[in-house]
Coordinates of all heavy atoms in Angstrom, one line a residue:
M30 N -23.9 -85.1 11.4 CA -24.4 -85.1 12.8 C -25.0 -83.7 12.9 O -24.6 -82.7 12.5 CB -23.2 -85.2 13.7 CG -23.5 -84.9 15.2 SD -24.6 -86.0 16.1 CE -23.7 -87.5 16.1
L31 N -26.2 -83.8 13.6 CA -26.9 -82.5 13.9 C -27.4 -82.5 15.3 O -28.0 -83.5 15.8 CB -28.2 -82.4 13.0 CG -29.1 -81.3 13.3 CD1 -28.5 -79.9 13.0 CD2 -30.4 -81.4 12.6
I32 N -27.1 -81.5 16.0 CA -27.6 -81.2 17.3 C -28.8 -80.3 17.2 O -28.6 -79.1 16.7 CB -26.6 -80.7 18.3 CG1 -25.4 -81.7 18.4 CG2 -27.2 -80.4 19.6 CD1 -24.3 -81.3 19.3
G33 N -30.0 -80.7 17.5 CA -31.1 -79.9 17.3 C -31.3 -78.8 18.4 O -30.5 -78.7 19.3
P34 N -32.4 -78.1 18.3 CA -32.7 -77.0 19.3 C -32.8 -77.5 20.7 O -33.2 -78.7 20.9 CB -34.0 -76.4 18.8 CG -34.3 -77.0 17.5 CD -33.5 -78.2 17.3
S35 N -32.4 -76.7 21.7 CA -32.5 -77.1 23.1 C -32.4 -75.8 23.9 O -32.2 -74.8 23.4 CB -31.3 -78.0 23.5 OG -30.1 -77.3 23.5
I36 N -32.6 -76.0 25.2 CA -32.5 -74.8 26.0 C -31.0 -74.4 26.0 O -30.1 -75.2 25.9 CB -32.9 -75.1 27.5 CG1 -33.0 -73.9 28.3 CG2 -32.0 -76.2 28.1 CD1 -33.8 -74.0 29.6
Q37 N -30.8 -73.1 25.9 CA -29.4 -72.6 25.8 C -29.0 -72.0 27.1 O -29.7 -71.8 28.1 CB -29.4 -71.5 24.7 CG -29.9 -71.9 23.3 CD -29.0 -72.9 22.7 OE1 -27.8 -72.6 22.5 NE2 -29.5 -74.0 22.3
S38 N -27.7 -71.6 27.1 CA -27.2 -71.0 28.4 C -27.8 -69.8 28.8 O -27.8 -69.4 30.0 CB -25.7 -70.8 28.3 OG -25.4 -69.9 27.2
C39 N -28.5 -69.1 27.9 CA -29.3 -67.9 28.3 C -30.4 -68.2 29.3 O -30.8 -67.4 30.2 CB -29.9 -67.2 27.1 SG -30.9 -68.2 26.0
C40 N -30.9 -69.4 29.3 CA -32.0 -69.8 30.1 C -31.8 -71.1 31.0 O -32.6 -71.3 31.9 CB -33.2 -70.1 29.2 SG -33.8 -68.6 28.3
F41 N -30.7 -71.8 30.7 CA -30.5 -73.0 31.6 C -29.7 -72.7 32.7 O -28.4 -72.6 32.6 CB -29.9 -74.2 30.7 CG -30.0 -75.5 31.5 CD1 -31.1 -76.0 32.0 CD2 -28.8 -76.1 31.7 CE1 -31.1 -77.2 32.7 CE2 -28.8 -77.3 32.4 CZ -30.0 -77.9 32.9
E42 N -30.3 -72.5 33.9 CA -29.6 -72.1 35.1 C -29.8 -73.2 36.1 O -30.9 -73.7 36.3 CB -30.2 -70.8 35.6 CG -29.4 -70.1 36.7 CD -30.0 -68.7 37.0 OE1 -31.1 -68.6 37.3 OE2 -29.2 -67.8 36.8
I43 N -28.7 -73.5 36.8 CA -28.8 -74.5 37.9 C -28.3 -73.9 39.2 O -27.6 -72.9 39.2 CB -27.9 -75.8 37.5 CG1 -26.5 -75.4 37.3 CG2 -28.5 -76.5 36.3 CD1 -25.5 -76.5 37.2
K44 N -28.6 -74.6 40.3 CA -28.1 -74.1 41.6 C -26.9 -75.0 41.9 O -26.6 -76.0 41.3 CB -29.2 -74.4 42.7 CG -30.4 -73.5 42.5 CD -31.4 -73.7 43.6 CE -32.6 -72.9 43.4 NZ -33.7 -73.2 44.4
D45 N -26.1 -74.5 42.8 CA -24.8 -75.1 43.1 C -25.0 -76.5 43.7 O -24.0 -77.3 43.8 CB -23.9 -74.3 44.0 CG -24.6 -73.9 45.3 OD1 -25.7 -74.3 45.6 OD2 -23.9 -73.2 46.1
D46 N -26.2 -76.9 44.2 CA -26.4 -78.2 44.7 C -26.3 -79.4 43.7 O -26.1 -80.5 44.1 CB -27.7 -78.3 45.5 CG -28.9 -78.1 44.6 OD1 -28.8 -77.4 43.6 OD2 -30.0 -78.5 45.0
V47 N -26.4 -79.0 42.4 CA -26.3 -80.1 41.4 C -25.1 -79.8 40.5 O -24.9 -80.5 39.5 CB -27.5 -80.2 40.5 CG1 -28.7 -80.7 41.4 CG2 -27.9 -78.9 39.8
L48 N -24.3 -78.8 40.8 CA -23.2 -78.4 40.0 C -22.2 -79.5 39.7 O -21.6 -79.6 38.6 CB -22.4 -77.3 40.7 CG -21.5 -76.4 39.8 CD1 -22.3 -75.8 38.7 CD2 -20.9 -75.3 40.7
E49 N -22.0 -80.4 40.6 CA -21.0 -81.5 40.5 C -21.3 -82.4 39.3 O -20.5 -83.2 38.8 CB -20.9 -82.3 41.8 CG -22.2 -83.1 42.1 CD -22.2 -83.8 43.4 OE1 -22.6 -83.2 44.4 OE2 -21.8 -85.0 43.4
H50 N -22.6 -82.4 38.8 CA -23.0 -83.3 37.7 C -22.7 -82.7 36.3 O -22.9 -83.3 35.3 CB -24.5 -83.6 37.8 CG -24.9 -84.3 39.1 ND1 -24.5 -85.6 39.3 CD2 -25.5 -83.8 40.1 CE1 -25.0 -85.9 40.5 NE2 -25.6 -84.9 41.0
F51 N -22.2 -81.4 36.3 CA -21.9 -80.7 35.1 C -20.4 -80.5 34.9 O -19.7 -80.4 35.9 CB -22.6 -79.4 35.1 CG -24.1 -79.6 35.0 CD1 -24.8 -79.7 36.2 CD2 -24.8 -79.6 33.8 CE1 -26.2 -79.9 36.2 CE2 -26.2 -79.8 33.8 CZ -26.9 -80.0 35.0
D52 N -20.0 -80.5 33.6 CA -18.6 -80.2 33.3 C -18.3 -78.7 33.5 O -18.9 -77.9 33.0 CB -18.4 -80.6 31.8 CG -16.9 -80.5 31.4 OD1 -16.2 -79.5 31.9 OD2 -16.5 -81.3 30.5
S53 N -17.2 -78.5 34.3 CA -16.9 -77.1 34.7 C -16.5 -76.3 33.5 O -16.4 -75.0 33.6 CB -15.8 -77.1 35.8 OG -14.6 -77.7 35.3
N54 N -16.1 -76.9 32.4 CA -15.8 -76.1 31.2 C -17.0 -75.5 30.5 O -16.9 -74.8 29.6 CB -15.1 -77.0 30.2 CG -13.7 -77.4 30.7 OD1 -13.0 -76.6 31.2 ND2 -13.4 -78.7 30.5
H55 N -18.2 -75.9 31.0 CA -19.4 -75.5 30.3 C -20.5 -74.9 31.2 O -21.7 -74.9 30.8 CB -20.0 -76.7 29.5 CG -19.1 -77.3 28.5 ND1 -18.9 -76.6 27.3 CD2 -18.3 -78.3 28.5 CE1 -17.9 -77.3 26.7 NE2 -17.6 -78.3 27.4
Y56 N -20.0 -74.3 32.2 CA -20.9 -73.4 33.0 C -20.2 -72.2 33.6 O -19.0 -72.2 33.7 CB -21.6 -74.2 34.2 CG -20.7 -74.8 35.2 CD1 -20.1 -74.0 36.2 CD2 -20.6 -76.1 35.3 CE1 -19.3 -74.5 37.2 CE2 -19.8 -76.7 36.3 CZ -19.2 -75.9 37.2 OH -18.4 -76.5 38.2
N57 N -21.0 -71.2 33.8 CA -20.4 -69.9 34.4 C -21.3 -69.4 35.4 O -22.6 -69.6 35.3 CB -20.3 -68.8 33.3 CG -19.2 -69.2 32.3 OD1 -18.1 -69.4 32.6 ND2 -19.6 -69.3 31.0
P58 N -20.7 -68.8 36.5 CA -21.6 -68.2 37.5 C -22.5 -67.1 37.0 O -22.1 -66.4 36.1 CB -20.6 -67.6 38.5 CG -19.2 -68.0 38.0 CD -19.3 -68.5 36.7
S59 N -23.7 -67.1 37.5 CA -24.6 -66.1 37.1 C -25.0 -65.2 38.3 O -24.5 -64.0 38.4 CB -25.9 -66.6 36.5 OG -26.6 -67.5 37.3
S60 N -25.7 -65.7 39.3 CA -26.0 -64.9 40.5 C -26.4 -65.8 41.6 O -27.0 -66.9 41.4 CB -27.1 -63.9 40.2 OG -28.3 -64.5 39.8
N61 N -26.2 -65.4 42.8 CA -26.7 -66.1 44.0 C -26.6 -67.6 44.0 O -27.6 -68.3 44.0 CB -28.2 -65.7 44.3 CG -28.4 -64.2 44.5 OD1 -27.4 -63.6 45.0 ND2 -29.5 -63.7 44.1
D62 N -25.4 -68.1 43.9 CA -25.1 -69.5 43.8 C -25.8 -70.2 42.7 O -26.1 -71.4 42.8 CB -25.5 -70.2 45.2 CG -24.8 -69.6 46.4 OD1 -23.6 -69.2 46.2 OD2 -25.4 -69.6 47.5
K63 N -26.0 -69.6 41.6 CA -26.6 -70.2 40.4 C -25.5 -70.1 39.2 O -24.7 -69.2 39.2 CB -27.9 -69.5 40.0 CG -29.0 -69.7 41.0 CD -30.2 -69.0 40.6 CE -31.3 -69.2 41.6 NZ -32.5 -68.5 41.3
Y64 N -25.7 -71.0 38.3 CA -24.8 -71.1 37.2 C -25.6 -71.3 35.9 O -26.6 -72.0 35.8 CB -23.8 -72.3 37.4 CG -23.0 -72.1 38.6 CD1 -23.5 -72.4 39.8 CD2 -21.7 -71.6 38.5 CE1 -22.7 -72.2 41.0 CE2 -20.9 -71.4 39.6 CZ -21.4 -71.7 40.9 OH -20.7 -71.6 42.0
K65 N -25.1 -70.7 34.8 CA -25.6 -70.9 33.5 C -24.8 -72.0 32.8 O -23.6 -72.0 32.8 CB -25.5 -69.6 32.6 CG -26.3 -68.4 33.2 CD -27.7 -68.4 32.9 CE -28.4 -67.1 33.3 NZ -29.7 -67.0 32.8
V66 N -25.5 -72.9 32.2 CA -24.9 -74.1 31.6 C -25.1 -74.1 30.1 O -26.2 -73.9 29.6 CB -25.5 -75.4 32.2 CG1 -24.8 -76.6 31.6 CG2 -25.4 -75.4 33.7
D67 N -24.0 -74.4 29.4 CA -24.0 -74.5 27.9 C -24.1 -76.0 27.6 O -23.0 -76.7 27.4 CB -22.8 -73.9 27.3 CG -22.7 -74.1 25.8 OD1 -23.7 -74.5 25.2 OD2 -21.6 -73.8 25.3
L68 N -25.3 -76.6 27.5 CA -25.5 -78.0 27.2 C -25.0 -78.4 25.8 O -24.4 -79.5 25.7 CB -26.9 -78.4 27.4 CG -27.5 -78.3 28.8 CD1 -29.0 -78.6 28.8 CD2 -26.7 -79.3 29.7
Q69 N -25.3 -77.6 24.8 CA -24.8 -77.9 23.5 C -23.3 -77.9 23.4 O -22.7 -78.8 22.7 CB -25.4 -77.0 22.5 CG -26.9 -77.2 22.2 CD -27.5 -76.4 21.1 OE1 -26.9 -75.4 20.8 NE2 -28.6 -76.9 20.5
G70 N -22.6 -77.0 24.0 CA -21.2 -77.0 24.0 C -20.6 -78.2 24.6 O -19.6 -78.8 24.2
W71 N -21.3 -78.6 25.7 CA -20.8 -79.8 26.4 C -21.0 -81.0 25.5 O -20.1 -81.9 25.4 CB -21.6 -79.9 27.7 CG -21.1 -81.0 28.7 CD1 -19.9 -81.6 28.6 CD2 -21.8 -81.4 29.8 NE1 -19.8 -82.5 29.7 CE2 -21.0 -82.4 30.4 CE3 -23.1 -81.2 30.4 CZ2 -21.4 -83.1 31.6 CZ3 -23.4 -81.8 31.5 CH2 -22.6 -82.8 32.1
A72 N -22.2 -81.1 24.8 CA -22.4 -82.2 23.9 C -21.4 -82.3 22.8 O -20.9 -83.3 22.4 CB -23.9 -82.2 23.4
I73 N -21.1 -81.1 22.2 CA -20.1 -81.0 21.1 C -18.8 -81.6 21.6 O -18.1 -82.4 21.0 CB -20.0 -79.6 20.6 CG1 -21.3 -79.2 19.9 CG2 -18.8 -79.5 19.7 CD1 -21.4 -77.7 19.6
D74 N -18.3 -81.1 22.8 CA -17.1 -81.6 23.3 C -17.0 -83.1 23.5 O -16.0 -83.7 23.2 CB -16.8 -80.9 24.7 CG -16.1 -79.5 24.5 OD1 -15.9 -79.1 23.3 OD2 -15.8 -78.9 25.5
Q75 N -18.1 -83.6 24.0 CA -18.2 -85.1 24.2 C -18.1 -85.8 22.9 O -17.4 -86.9 22.7 CB -19.5 -85.5 24.9 CG -19.4 -85.0 26.4 CD -20.7 -85.4 27.1 OE1 -21.1 -86.6 27.2 NE2 -21.4 -84.4 27.6
L76 N -18.8 -85.3 21.8 CA -18.7 -85.9 20.5 C -17.3 -85.9 19.9 O -16.8 -86.8 19.3 CB -19.8 -85.3 19.6 CG -21.2 -85.5 19.9 CD1 -22.1 -84.6 19.1 CD2 -21.6 -87.0 19.7
V77 N -16.7 -84.7 20.0 CA -15.3 -84.6 19.5 C -14.4 -85.5 20.3 O -13.5 -86.1 19.7 CB -14.9 -83.1 19.6 CG1 -13.4 -82.9 19.3 CG2 -15.7 -82.2 18.6
C78 N -14.5 -85.6 21.6 CA -13.7 -86.5 22.4 C -13.9 -87.9 22.0 O -13.0 -88.8 22.2 CB -13.9 -86.3 23.9 SG -13.2 -84.8 24.5
S79 N -15.1 -88.2 21.5 CA -15.4 -89.6 21.0 C -14.9 -89.9 19.6 O -15.1 -91.0 19.1 CB -16.9 -89.8 21.1 OG -17.4 -89.7 22.4
G80 N -14.3 -88.9 19.0 CA -13.7 -89.1 17.7 C -14.4 -88.5 16.5 O -14.0 -88.6 15.4
L81 N -15.5 -87.8 16.7 CA -16.2 -87.1 15.6 C -15.5 -85.9 15.2 O -14.9 -85.2 16.1 CB -17.7 -86.7 16.0 CG -18.7 -87.8 15.6 CD1 -18.6 -89.0 16.5 CD2 -20.1 -87.2 15.6
D82 N -15.5 -85.6 13.9 CA -14.8 -84.4 13.4 C -15.7 -83.2 13.7 O -16.9 -83.2 13.3 CB -14.6 -84.6 11.9 CG -13.9 -83.4 11.2 OD1 -13.7 -82.4 11.9 OD2 -13.6 -83.6 10.0
R83 N -15.2 -82.2 14.3 CA -16.0 -81.0 14.7 C -16.7 -80.4 13.5 O -17.8 -79.9 13.6 CB -15.2 -80.0 15.5 CG -15.9 -78.7 15.8 CD -17.1 -78.9 16.7 NE -17.8 -77.7 17.0 CZ -18.9 -77.4 16.3 NH1 -19.4 -78.1 15.3 NH2 -19.6 -76.3 16.6
E84 N -16.0 -80.4 12.4 CA -16.5 -79.9 11.1 C -17.8 -80.5 10.7 O -18.6 -80.0 9.9 CB -15.5 -80.0 10.0 CG -14.1 -79.3 10.4 CD -14.1 -77.8 10.1 OE1 -14.7 -77.4 9.0 OE2 -13.5 -77.1 10.9
K85 N -18.0 -81.8 11.1 CA -19.2 -82.5 10.7 C -20.3 -82.4 11.7 O -21.4 -83.1 11.5 CB -18.8 -84.0 10.4 CG -17.9 -84.1 9.3 CD -17.5 -85.6 9.0 CE -16.6 -85.6 7.8 NZ -16.2 -87.0 7.5
I86 N -20.2 -81.6 12.7 CA -21.2 -81.5 13.7 C -21.9 -80.2 13.4 O -21.3 -79.1 13.6 CB -20.7 -81.5 15.2 CG1 -19.9 -82.8 15.4 CG2 -21.8 -81.3 16.2 CD1 -19.2 -82.8 16.7
N87 N -23.2 -80.2 13.0 CA -24.0 -79.0 12.8 C -24.9 -78.8 14.0 O -25.4 -79.8 14.6 CB -24.9 -79.2 11.6 CG -24.0 -79.4 10.3 OD1 -23.3 -78.5 9.9 ND2 -24.1 -80.6 9.8
V88 N -25.1 -77.5 14.4 CA -25.8 -77.2 15.6 C -26.9 -76.2 15.2 O -26.6 -75.2 14.6 CB -24.9 -76.6 16.7 CG1 -25.7 -76.3 17.9 CG2 -23.8 -77.6 17.0
I89 N -28.1 -76.5 15.7 CA -29.2 -75.5 15.6 C -29.2 -74.9 17.0 O -29.8 -75.5 18.0 CB -30.5 -76.1 15.2 CG1 -30.4 -76.7 13.9 CG2 -31.6 -75.0 15.3 CD1 -31.7 -77.5 13.5
N90 N -28.7 -73.7 17.2 CA -28.5 -73.1 18.5 C -29.7 -72.2 18.9 O -29.5 -71.1 19.4 CB -27.2 -72.5 18.7 CG -26.9 -71.4 17.7 OD1 -27.7 -71.2 16.8 ND2 -25.8 -70.7 17.8
K91 N -30.9 -72.7 18.6 CA -32.1 -71.9 19.0 C -32.5 -72.3 20.4 O -32.5 -73.5 20.7 CB -33.2 -72.2 18.0 CG -32.9 -71.9 16.6 CD -32.8 -70.4 16.3 CE -32.7 -70.1 14.9 NZ -32.4 -68.7 14.6
C92 N -32.9 -71.4 21.2 CA -33.3 -71.7 22.6 C -34.7 -72.1 22.7 O -35.6 -71.3 22.3 CB -33.0 -70.5 23.5 SG -33.4 -70.8 25.2
T93 N -35.0 -73.3 23.1 CA -36.4 -73.8 23.2 C -37.1 -73.1 24.3 O -38.4 -73.1 24.3 CB -36.4 -75.3 23.4 OG1 -35.5 -75.6 24.5 CG2 -35.9 -76.0 22.2
Y94 N -36.4 -72.5 25.3 CA -37.1 -71.8 26.3 C -37.5 -70.4 25.8 O -38.6 -70.0 26.0 CB -36.2 -71.7 27.5 CG -36.8 -71.1 28.8 CD1 -37.3 -72.0 29.8 CD2 -37.0 -69.7 29.0 CE1 -37.9 -71.5 30.9 CE2 -37.6 -69.2 30.1 CZ -38.1 -70.1 31.1 OH -38.7 -69.6 32.2
C95 N -36.6 -69.7 25.2 CA -36.9 -68.3 24.7 C -37.9 -68.3 23.6 O -38.8 -67.4 23.6 CB -35.6 -67.7 24.2 SG -34.3 -67.2 25.3
L96 N -37.8 -69.2 22.7 CA -38.7 -69.2 21.5 C -40.0 -69.9 21.8 O -40.2 -71.0 21.2 CB -37.9 -69.7 20.3 CG -36.6 -68.9 20.0 CD1 -35.8 -69.6 19.0 CD2 -37.0 -67.5 19.5
D97 N -40.8 -69.4 22.6 CA -42.0 -70.1 23.1 C -43.1 -70.3 22.0 O -44.0 -71.1 22.2 CB -42.6 -69.4 24.3 CG -43.1 -68.0 24.0 OD1 -42.7 -67.4 22.9 OD2 -43.8 -67.4 24.8
T98 N -43.0 -69.6 20.9 CA -44.0 -69.9 19.8 C -43.5 -71.0 18.9 O -44.2 -71.5 18.0 CB -44.3 -68.6 19.0 OG1 -43.1 -68.1 18.4 CG2 -44.9 -67.6 19.9
L99 N -42.2 -71.4 19.0 CA -41.6 -72.4 18.1 C -41.4 -73.7 18.7 O -41.5 -74.8 18.1 CB -40.3 -71.9 17.5 CG -40.4 -70.7 16.5 CD1 -38.9 -70.3 16.1 CD2 -41.2 -71.0 15.3
Y100 N -41.0 -73.7 20.0 CA -40.6 -74.9 20.7 C -41.3 -75.2 22.0 O -41.7 -74.2 22.7 CB -39.1 -74.9 20.9 CG -38.3 -74.7 19.6 CD1 -37.6 -73.5 19.5 CD2 -38.2 -75.6 18.6 CE1 -36.8 -73.3 18.3 CE2 -37.5 -75.4 17.5 CZ -36.8 -74.3 17.3 OH -36.1 -74.1 16.2
H101 N -41.3 -76.4 22.4 CA -41.8 -76.8 23.7 C -40.6 -76.8 24.6 O -39.5 -76.9 24.2 CB -42.4 -78.2 23.7 CG -43.5 -78.4 22.8 ND1 -44.8 -77.8 23.0 CD2 -43.7 -79.1 21.6 CE1 -45.6 -78.1 22.0 NE2 -45.0 -78.9 21.2
S102 N -40.9 -76.5 25.9 CA -39.9 -76.5 26.9 C -40.4 -76.9 28.2 O -41.4 -76.3 28.8 CB -39.3 -75.1 27.1 OG -38.5 -75.0 28.2
Y103 N -39.9 -78.0 28.7 CA -40.4 -78.5 30.0 C -40.0 -77.5 31.1 O -40.8 -77.3 32.1 CB -39.7 -79.9 30.3 CG -40.3 -80.5 31.6 CD1 -41.5 -81.2 31.6 CD2 -39.7 -80.3 32.8 CE1 -42.0 -81.8 32.7 CE2 -40.2 -80.9 34.0 CZ -41.4 -81.6 33.9 OH -41.9 -82.1 35.1
R104 N -38.8 -76.9 31.0 CA -38.4 -76.0 32.0 C -39.3 -74.8 32.1 O -39.6 -74.2 33.1 CB -37.0 -75.5 31.8 CG -36.4 -74.7 33.0 CD -35.0 -74.7 33.0 NE -34.4 -75.8 33.8 CZ -33.5 -75.7 34.7 NH1 -33.0 -74.5 35.0 NH2 -33.1 -76.7 35.3
R105 N -39.8 -74.4 30.9 CA -40.7 -73.2 30.9 C -42.1 -73.6 31.3 O -42.8 -72.8 32.0 CB -40.7 -72.6 29.5 CG -41.5 -71.3 29.3 CD -41.6 -70.9 27.9 NE -42.2 -71.8 27.0 CZ -41.6 -72.4 25.9 NH1 -40.5 -72.0 25.5 NH2 -42.3 -73.3 25.2
N106 N -42.6 -74.7 30.8 CA -44.1 -75.0 31.0 C -44.3 -76.2 31.9 O -45.5 -76.6 32.1 CB -44.7 -75.3 29.6 CG -44.6 -74.1 28.7 OD1 -43.8 -74.1 27.8 ND2 -45.3 -73.1 29.0
G107 N -43.3 -76.8 32.4 CA -43.5 -77.9 33.4 C -44.2 -79.1 32.7 O -44.0 -79.4 31.5
T108 N -45.1 -79.7 33.5 CA -45.8 -80.9 33.0 C -46.8 -80.6 31.9 O -47.3 -81.5 31.2 CB -46.6 -81.6 34.2 OG1 -47.4 -80.6 34.8 CG2 -45.6 -82.1 35.2
N109 N -47.1 -79.3 31.7 CA -48.0 -78.9 30.6 C -47.2 -78.7 29.3 O -47.8 -78.4 28.2 CB -48.7 -77.6 30.9 CG -49.7 -77.8 32.1 OD1 -50.3 -78.8 32.2 ND2 -49.8 -76.7 32.9
A110 N -45.9 -78.9 29.3 CA -45.1 -78.7 28.1 C -45.5 -79.8 27.1 O -45.7 -81.0 27.4 CB -43.6 -78.8 28.4
G111 N -45.5 -79.5 25.8 CA -45.6 -80.4 24.7 C -44.3 -81.2 24.6 O -43.4 -81.1 25.4
R112 N -44.3 -82.1 23.6 CA -43.1 -82.9 23.4 C -42.5 -82.7 22.0 O -43.2 -82.4 21.1 CB -43.5 -84.4 23.6 CG -44.0 -84.8 24.9 CD -42.8 -84.6 26.0 NE -43.3 -85.0 27.3 CZ -43.6 -84.1 28.2 NH1 -43.6 -82.8 28.0 NH2 -44.0 -84.5 29.4
M113 N -41.2 -82.8 21.9 CA -40.5 -82.7 20.7 C -39.9 -84.0 20.3 O -39.5 -84.8 21.2 CB -39.4 -81.6 20.8 CG -40.0 -80.3 21.0 SD -38.9 -78.8 21.1 CE -37.4 -79.3 20.6
Y114 N -39.9 -84.4 19.1 CA -39.4 -85.7 18.6 C -38.2 -85.5 17.7 O -38.1 -84.5 17.0 CB -40.5 -86.5 17.9 CG -41.6 -86.9 18.8 CD1 -42.7 -86.1 19.0 CD2 -41.5 -88.0 19.6 CE1 -43.8 -86.4 19.8 CE2 -42.6 -88.4 20.4 CZ -43.7 -87.6 20.6 OH -44.7 -87.9 21.4
A115 N -37.4 -86.4 17.7 CA -36.2 -86.4 16.8 C -36.1 -87.7 16.1 O -36.5 -88.8 16.6 CB -34.9 -86.1 17.6
L116 N -35.6 -87.7 14.9 CA -35.3 -88.9 14.1 C -33.8 -89.0 13.9 O -33.2 -88.0 13.4 CB -36.1 -88.8 12.8 CG -35.9 -90.0 11.8 CD1 -36.6 -91.2 12.4 CD2 -36.6 -89.6 10.5
A117 N -33.3 -90.1 14.2 CA -31.8 -90.3 14.0 C -31.6 -91.3 12.9 O -32.3 -92.3 12.8 CB -31.2 -90.7 15.3
G118 N -30.6 -91.0 12.1 CA -30.2 -92.0 11.1 C -28.7 -91.9 10.7 O -28.0 -91.0 11.2
W119 N -28.3 -92.7 9.9 CA -26.9 -92.7 9.5 C -26.8 -93.1 8.0 O -27.4 -94.0 7.5 CB -26.1 -93.8 10.3 CG -24.7 -93.7 10.2 CD1 -23.9 -94.3 9.2 CD2 -23.8 -92.9 10.9 NE1 -22.6 -94.0 9.4 CE2 -22.5 -93.1 10.4 CE3 -23.9 -92.0 12.0 CZ2 -21.4 -92.5 11.0 CZ3 -22.8 -91.4 12.6 CH2 -21.6 -91.6 12.0
S120 N -26.0 -92.3 7.3 CA -25.7 -92.7 5.9 C -24.2 -92.5 5.6 O -23.6 -91.7 6.2 CB -26.5 -91.8 5.0 OG -26.1 -90.5 5.0
N121 N -23.8 -93.3 4.7 CA -22.3 -93.2 4.4 C -22.1 -92.4 3.1 O -22.9 -92.3 2.3 CB -21.8 -94.6 4.2 CG -21.8 -95.4 5.5 OD1 -21.5 -94.8 6.5 ND2 -22.1 -96.7 5.4
Ligands
ZN18 ZN1 -33.0 -68.7 26.2

């Protein structure tokens, strides 16, 4: 299992009006009714709760917002953002 690059908690900030949609174990207050969210940590917890072995989950924890020369980011560039694609497969 691989979790690819995504926006990280350094840059993914939400306001308290949508806070109820996020797991409280994966956000922290930042400033002025805003919170930083760890989406990859939340995804990992969900996968482990679903029965995946944590040791088998690899994570590329690069921030797509910060690394603007490497990745596209809708949050950074809005509708002008490029698109990233992923390929999923399974082997035994
Ligand atoms: Zn960042």
Side-chain angles (χ1 to χ4, degrees):
M30 168 66 66
L31 173 69
I32 297 177
S35 71
I36 193 166
Q37 304 290 306
S38 58
C39 53
C40 296
F41 190 56
E42 193 172 58
I43 59 169
K44 293 181 183 174
D45 59 358
D46 60 335
V47 295
L48 198 57
E49 66 186 89
H50 300 290
F51 294 86
D52 183 326
S53 61
N54 292 319
H55 298 286
Y56 61 73
N57 290 301
S59 58
S60 63
N61 299 331
D62 299 329
K63 293 180 181 175
Y64 296 82
K65 300 277 189 173
V66 181
D67 176 12
L68 291 174
Q69 286 187 336
W71 191 14
I73 291 167
D74 275 2
Q75 290 179 60
L76 291 167
V77 169
C78 285
S79 296
L81 266 74
D82 183 350
R83 175 63 185 94
E84 303 275 320
K85 294 182 178 177
I86 303 171
N87 298 294
V88 180
I89 299 173
N90 58 354
K91 302 290 185 188
C92 181
T93 52
Y94 188 99
C95 288
L96 299 170
D97 62 344
T98 59
L99 292 177
Y100 303 112
H101 299 293
S102 169
Y103 186 86
R104 187 159 273 228
R105 184 184 62 236
N106 299 108
T108 55
N109 293 326
R112 296 294 180 261
M113 296 183 7
Y114 292 93
L116 180 65
W119 190 269
S120 67
N121 293 321

